[in-house]
Amino acid sequence: MITIKEVVFTSTTVGSISLNLVLNSSSFKKQLSSVQNQTNSASTKISSSFKKIAATVAATFSLKALV
């Protein structure tokens, strides 16, 4: 909601404007939930990749120990 109280075009007074901003919390919460889901998914994929790398490194060192 925008309310224009007074506008005087002179060299000293320009006017005043009152603004009321309303947050659409439902949309904000949906977007925040989406970001959280994407972050969790990326975290799971990264964790899985590191586990595979660790297993490969462990296997490599165990094979070198046998040789």
Side-chain angles (χ1 to χ4, degrees), residues 1-9 13-21:
M1 180 174 139
I2 300 174
T3 305
I4 299 176
K5 293 181 180 177
E6 173 189 357
V7 176
V8 179
F9 294 103
T13 305
V14 175
S16 63
I17 298 175
S18 174
L19 297 174
N20 291 330
L21 300 175

Side-chain angles (χ1 to χ4, degrees), residues 29-46:
K29 287 179 183 177
K30 286 180 185 176
Q31 291 174 356
L32 183 58
S33 177
S34 174
V35 169
Q36 288 174 332
N37 289 339
Q38 291 173 2
T39 303
N40 289 339
S41 175
S43 174
T44 300
K45 289 177 183 178
I46 291 170

